[in-house]
Amino acid sequence: MAYKVLGNPLSPFTRKVVLFAAEMGLEADLELVNPYAPPDGFEAISPLKRVPVLQTDDFTLNDSSAICAYLNAAHPTNATLFPKEPKHLGHALWIEEYADSALFSEISDGVFRPIFINEMRGLPIDTKTVQASVAEHLPPLLTYLETQISGKDWFCGDAISVADVSVYSQMANLQHSKCLPDESRFPYLMKHFERVSSRPAAIELYEAELLYLKQVRASLRSSA
């Protein structure tokens, strides 16, 4: 069964769902929705007017965490990204929440919006905000993640989980912004990022995101 995901390639939560599905071996087709200018009636299927939204023939679901939990439960014979061991599961869900809340908030407001949203609005990059985020506000958040991945390949257990997908999905926007943290300062976290980003599903997704960015920028130039 193919799923339809309404979202945006640069949304970390859309990325999380599409990558999660791909790692499970599921087909998820992305239908483009601009969360800053959603189509008329979008609130009927997304009450908070946020992406992503998962749709099937008879089912609609909002929120990336809810969607990942649903996919995991709906396809028990596929590769699971929810650890079986209770402590590993609990920790994976905590890291997912940490990425979705604390990490997202700083990367979005401190880096992504000042660069890409300004660019799409024809405004100069807010370099001061980006520099403050990278130098002051992001390091404490990344330091905590460094402690959680230190000496390990994966955050929880011996295989990729929703925790790894969630952290990568936020940090990929730092990669697009050319603001990835210094490997000498965060060696385990950056090795983890490289480990996830080198997986076939992540490579394919990143290439699609680069193409989307190229198309958006070409559209901006033509309308200038």
Side-chain angles (χ1 to χ4, degrees), residues 149-165:
I149 193 64
S150 179
K152 301 187 294 185
D153 288 342
W154 308 109
F155 277 101
C156 309
D158 58 1
I160 189 171
S161 75
V162 66
D164 307 290
V165 170

PDB file of all heavy atoms in Angstrom, residues 149-165:
ATOM      1  N   ILE A 149      24.888   9.842  22.577  1.00  0.00           N
ATOM      2  CA  ILE A 149      25.344   8.981  21.478  1.00  0.00           C
ATOM      3  C   ILE A 149      26.809   8.579  21.667  1.00  0.00           C
ATOM      4  O   ILE A 149      27.327   7.736  20.924  1.00  0.00           O
ATOM      5  CB  ILE A 149      25.144   9.695  20.112  1.00  0.00           C
ATOM      6  CG1 ILE A 149      25.300   8.721  18.941  1.00  0.00           C
ATOM      7  CG2 ILE A 149      26.101  10.876  19.977  1.00  0.00           C
ATOM      8  CD1 ILE A 149      24.279   7.630  18.882  1.00  0.00           C
ATOM      9  N   SER A 150      27.469   9.121  22.672  1.00  0.00           N
ATOM     10  CA  SER A 150      28.895   8.860  22.882  1.00  0.00           C
ATOM     11  C   SER A 150      29.190   7.369  23.009  1.00  0.00           C
ATOM     12  O   SER A 150      28.571   6.657  23.814  1.00  0.00           O
ATOM     13  CB  SER A 150      29.368   9.586  24.143  1.00  0.00           C
ATOM     14  OG  SER A 150      30.736   9.328  24.384  1.00  0.00           O
ATOM     15  N   GLY A 151      30.120   6.900  22.180  1.00  0.00           N
ATOM     16  CA  GLY A 151      30.539   5.515  22.225  1.00  0.00           C
ATOM     17  C   GLY A 151      29.580   4.532  21.588  1.00  0.00           C
ATOM     18  O   GLY A 151      29.790   3.314  21.692  1.00  0.00           O
ATOM     19  N   LYS A 152      28.550   5.035  20.923  1.00  0.00           N
ATOM     20  CA  LYS A 152      27.530   4.162  20.340  1.00  0.00           C
ATOM     21  C   LYS A 152      27.330   4.485  18.861  1.00  0.00           C
ATOM     22  O   LYS A 152      27.629   5.590  18.405  1.00  0.00           O
ATOM     23  CB  LYS A 152      26.197   4.329  21.077  1.00  0.00           C
ATOM     24  CG  LYS A 152      26.252   4.029  22.572  1.00  0.00           C
ATOM     25  CD  LYS A 152      24.873   4.055  23.198  1.00  0.00           C
ATOM     26  CE  LYS A 152      24.241   5.419  23.177  1.00  0.00           C
ATOM     27  NZ  LYS A 152      22.948   5.466  23.886  1.00  0.00           N
ATOM     28  N   ASP A 153      26.796   3.521  18.130  1.00  0.00           N
ATOM     29  CA  ASP A 153      26.414   3.761  16.747  1.00  0.00           C
ATOM     30  C   ASP A 153      25.021   4.379  16.648  1.00  0.00           C
ATOM     31  O   ASP A 153      24.765   5.211  15.783  1.00  0.00           O
ATOM     32  CB  ASP A 153      26.428   2.458  15.938  1.00  0.00           C
ATOM     33  CG  ASP A 153      27.832   1.953  15.673  1.00  0.00           C
ATOM     34  OD1 ASP A 153      28.788   2.745  15.806  1.00  0.00           O
ATOM     35  OD2 ASP A 153      27.970   0.763  15.333  1.00  0.00           O
ATOM     36  N   TRP A 154      24.132   3.937  17.526  1.00  0.00           N
ATOM     37  CA  TRP A 154      22.736   4.373  17.500  1.00  0.00           C
ATOM     38  C   TRP A 154      22.328   4.842  18.886  1.00  0.00           C
ATOM     39  O   TRP A 154      22.897   4.410  19.894  1.00  0.00           O
ATOM     40  CB  TRP A 154      21.822   3.235  17.030  1.00  0.00           C
ATOM     41  CG  TRP A 154      22.268   2.623  15.735  1.00  0.00           C
ATOM     42  CD1 TRP A 154      22.819   1.382  15.562  1.00  0.00           C
ATOM     43  CD2 TRP A 154      22.240   3.235  14.432  1.00  0.00           C
ATOM     44  NE1 TRP A 154      23.131   1.179  14.237  1.00  0.00           N
ATOM     45  CE2 TRP A 154      22.781   2.289  13.520  1.00  0.00           C
ATOM     46  CE3 TRP A 154      21.797   4.455  13.939  1.00  0.00           C
ATOM     47  CZ2 TRP A 154      22.889   2.560  12.153  1.00  0.00           C
ATOM     48  CZ3 TRP A 154      21.910   4.722  12.589  1.00  0.00           C
ATOM     49  CH2 TRP A 154      22.448   3.786  11.715  1.00  0.00           C
ATOM     50  N   PHE A 155      21.336   5.702  18.943  1.00  0.00           N
ATOM     51  CA  PHE A 155      20.938   6.262  20.236  1.00  0.00           C
ATOM     52  C   PHE A 155      20.384   5.202  21.186  1.00  0.00           C
ATOM     53  O   PHE A 155      20.617   5.264  22.391  1.00  0.00           O
ATOM     54  CB  PHE A 155      19.891   7.371  20.039  1.00  0.00           C
ATOM     55  CG  PHE A 155      20.485   8.707  19.710  1.00  0.00           C
ATOM     56  CD1 PHE A 155      20.497   9.177  18.404  1.00  0.00           C
ATOM     57  CD2 PHE A 155      21.043   9.499  20.700  1.00  0.00           C
ATOM     58  CE1 PHE A 155      21.055  10.407  18.094  1.00  0.00           C
ATOM     59  CE2 PHE A 155      21.602  10.732  20.408  1.00  0.00           C
ATOM     60  CZ  PHE A 155      21.614  11.188  19.097  1.00  0.00           C
ATOM     61  N   CYS A 156      19.627   4.239  20.640  1.00  0.00           N
ATOM     62  CA  CYS A 156      18.930   3.286  21.505  1.00  0.00           C
ATOM     63  C   CYS A 156      19.052   1.879  20.934  1.00  0.00           C
ATOM     64  O   CYS A 156      18.445   1.578  19.897  1.00  0.00           O
ATOM     65  CB  CYS A 156      17.452   3.654  21.647  1.00  0.00           C
ATOM     66  SG  CYS A 156      17.192   5.388  22.108  1.00  0.00           S
ATOM     67  N   GLY A 157      19.818   1.028  21.566  1.00  0.00           N
ATOM     68  CA  GLY A 157      19.968  -0.330  21.063  1.00  0.00           C
ATOM     69  C   GLY A 157      21.002  -0.436  19.969  1.00  0.00           C
ATOM     70  O   GLY A 157      21.840   0.453  19.781  1.00  0.00           O
ATOM     71  N   ASP A 158      20.917  -1.520  19.208  1.00  0.00           N
ATOM     72  CA  ASP A 158      21.946  -1.818  18.210  1.00  0.00           C
ATOM     73  C   ASP A 158      21.465  -1.644  16.776  1.00  0.00           C
ATOM     74  O   ASP A 158      22.038  -2.209  15.846  1.00  0.00           O
ATOM     75  CB  ASP A 158      22.472  -3.245  18.414  1.00  0.00           C
ATOM     76  CG  ASP A 158      21.366  -4.291  18.329  1.00  0.00           C
ATOM     77  OD1 ASP A 158      20.202  -3.919  18.089  1.00  0.00           O
ATOM     78  OD2 ASP A 158      21.679  -5.489  18.507  1.00  0.00           O
ATOM     79  N   ALA A 159      20.390  -0.867  16.587  1.00  0.00           N
ATOM     80  CA  ALA A 159      19.871  -0.633  15.236  1.00  0.00           C
ATOM     81  C   ALA A 159      19.269   0.758  15.151  1.00  0.00           C
ATOM     82  O   ALA A 159      18.949   1.383  16.173  1.00  0.00           O
ATOM     83  CB  ALA A 159      18.826  -1.690  14.878  1.00  0.00           C
ATOM     84  N   ILE A 160      19.110   1.248  13.934  1.00  0.00           N
ATOM     85  CA  ILE A 160      18.492   2.553  13.728  1.00  0.00           C
ATOM     86  C   ILE A 160      17.076   2.545  14.282  1.00  0.00           C
ATOM     87  O   ILE A 160      16.352   1.541  14.170  1.00  0.00           O
ATOM     88  CB  ILE A 160      18.497   2.934  12.229  1.00  0.00           C
ATOM     89  CG1 ILE A 160      18.050   4.393  12.040  1.00  0.00           C
ATOM     90  CG2 ILE A 160      17.664   1.968  11.401  1.00  0.00           C
ATOM     91  CD1 ILE A 160      18.251   4.898  10.619  1.00  0.00           C
ATOM     92  N   SER A 161      16.687   3.650  14.908  1.00  0.00           N
ATOM     93  CA  SER A 161      15.354   3.750  15.496  1.00  0.00           C
ATOM     94  C   SER A 161      14.772   5.122  15.207  1.00  0.00           C
ATOM     95  O   SER A 161      15.407   5.978  14.581  1.00  0.00           O
ATOM     96  CB  SER A 161      15.412   3.531  17.013  1.00  0.00           C
ATOM     97  OG  SER A 161      15.942   4.679  17.666  1.00  0.00           O
ATOM     98  N   VAL A 162      13.567   5.334  15.698  1.00  0.00           N
ATOM     99  CA  VAL A 162      12.902   6.620  15.522  1.00  0.00           C
ATOM    100  C   VAL A 162      13.733   7.749  16.132  1.00  0.00           C
ATOM    101  O   VAL A 162      13.675   8.897  15.661  1.00  0.00           O
ATOM    102  CB  VAL A 162      11.482   6.575  16.136  1.00  0.00           C
ATOM    103  CG1 VAL A 162      11.533   6.408  17.648  1.00  0.00           C
ATOM    104  CG2 VAL A 162      10.676   7.803  15.746  1.00  0.00           C
ATOM    105  N   ALA A 163      14.530   7.444  17.140  1.00  0.00           N
ATOM    106  CA  ALA A 163      15.393   8.463  17.737  1.00  0.00           C
ATOM    107  C   ALA A 163      16.424   8.965  16.732  1.00  0.00           C
ATOM    108  O   ALA A 163      16.625  10.188  16.572  1.00  0.00           O
ATOM    109  CB  ALA A 163      16.105   7.894  18.963  1.00  0.00           C
ATOM    110  N   ASP A 164      17.059   8.057  16.032  1.00  0.00           N
ATOM    111  CA  ASP A 164      18.086   8.428  15.045  1.00  0.00           C
ATOM    112  C   ASP A 164      17.482   9.202  13.882  1.00  0.00           C
ATOM    113  O   ASP A 164      18.054  10.202  13.421  1.00  0.00           O
ATOM    114  CB  ASP A 164      18.774   7.158  14.539  1.00  0.00           C
ATOM    115  CG  ASP A 164      19.307   6.304  15.666  1.00  0.00           C
ATOM    116  OD1 ASP A 164      20.280   6.724  16.316  1.00  0.00           O
ATOM    117  OD2 ASP A 164      18.729   5.233  15.909  1.00  0.00           O
ATOM    118  N   VAL A 165      16.332   8.744  13.410  1.00  0.00           N
ATOM    119  CA  VAL A 165      15.650   9.430  12.308  1.00  0.00           C
ATOM    120  C   VAL A 165      15.251  10.840  12.722  1.00  0.00           C
ATOM    121  O   VAL A 165      15.385  11.798  11.947  1.00  0.00           O
ATOM    122  CB  VAL A 165      14.419   8.618  11.858  1.00  0.00           C
ATOM    123  CG1 VAL A 165      13.560   9.423  10.886  1.00  0.00           C
ATOM    124  CG2 VAL A 165      14.852   7.303  11.215  1.00  0.00           C
TER     125      VAL A 165
END
